[in-house]
Amino acid sequence: TVLSEIRKESAARQRLARELLPRTSFDAHPEGLHLWLHLPPRWNRLDFTSHLRRQSGLGVVPSDVFSLATPAPDAVRVSLGGAANRDDLRRALTSLAGALDREGLPSFASVV
């Protein structure tokens, strides 16, 4: 029963992500607790991760942690399970969608 309820909640959260994010921007299992977000060229994974951690409260991890490719792709793993409820997740995903549309921040490397 518990596993069934977890799957239902995960599926609902995935539907919410599909509703709020551009269709081609991510890959995910329909009952998964995470999604793999592909970034537009104006963002790099490290700057985007930093920006989202400050702005949205989503659990976002750059692809470097999961990728064997060098360099890692400009993508991030987004946790859908960390939000306390769907309203919080909706707010966080709305913030993420807004960030995807914004111009990327200056790279930290260019500041140093």
Side-chain angles (χ1 to χ4, degrees):
T1 301
V2 171
L3 184 55
S4 175
E5 291 303 312
I6 290 171
R7 284 184 175 145
K8 285 179 190 175
E9 182 62 23
S10 295
R13 288 171 182 242
Q14 285 290 340
R15 284 191 300 276
L16 192 56
R18 286 191 304 275
E19 173 188 323
L20 296 171
L21 300 176
R23 293 255 184 228
T24 59
S25 67
F26 69 93
D27 297 312
H29 186 280
E31 294 177 348
L33 293 172
H34 304 92
L35 60 85
W36 189 251
L37 182 69
H38 309 281
L39 299 177
R42 63 186 166 273
W43 280 108
N44 76 53
R45 64 200 175 279
L46 300 177
D47 293 338
F48 191 79
T49 300
S50 245
H51 175 74
L52 273 186
R53 284 183 180 158
R54 288 189 310 271
Q55 299 297 319
S56 75
L58 277 172
V60 180
V61 180
S63 60
D64 304 68
V65 176
F66 305 99
S67 178
L68 297 176
T70 305
D74 276 322
V76 295
R77 181 178 179 244
V78 179
S79 171
L80 302 179
N85 55 59
R86 289 186 213 160
D87 288 337
D88 288 351
L89 181 60
R90 177 179 291 279
R91 281 189 289 280
L93 289 173
T94 299
S95 177
L96 185 149
L100 284 173
D101 286 340
R102 280 189 206 100
E103 193 63 36
L105 300 174
S107 172
F108 290 126
S110 69
V111 175
V112 175

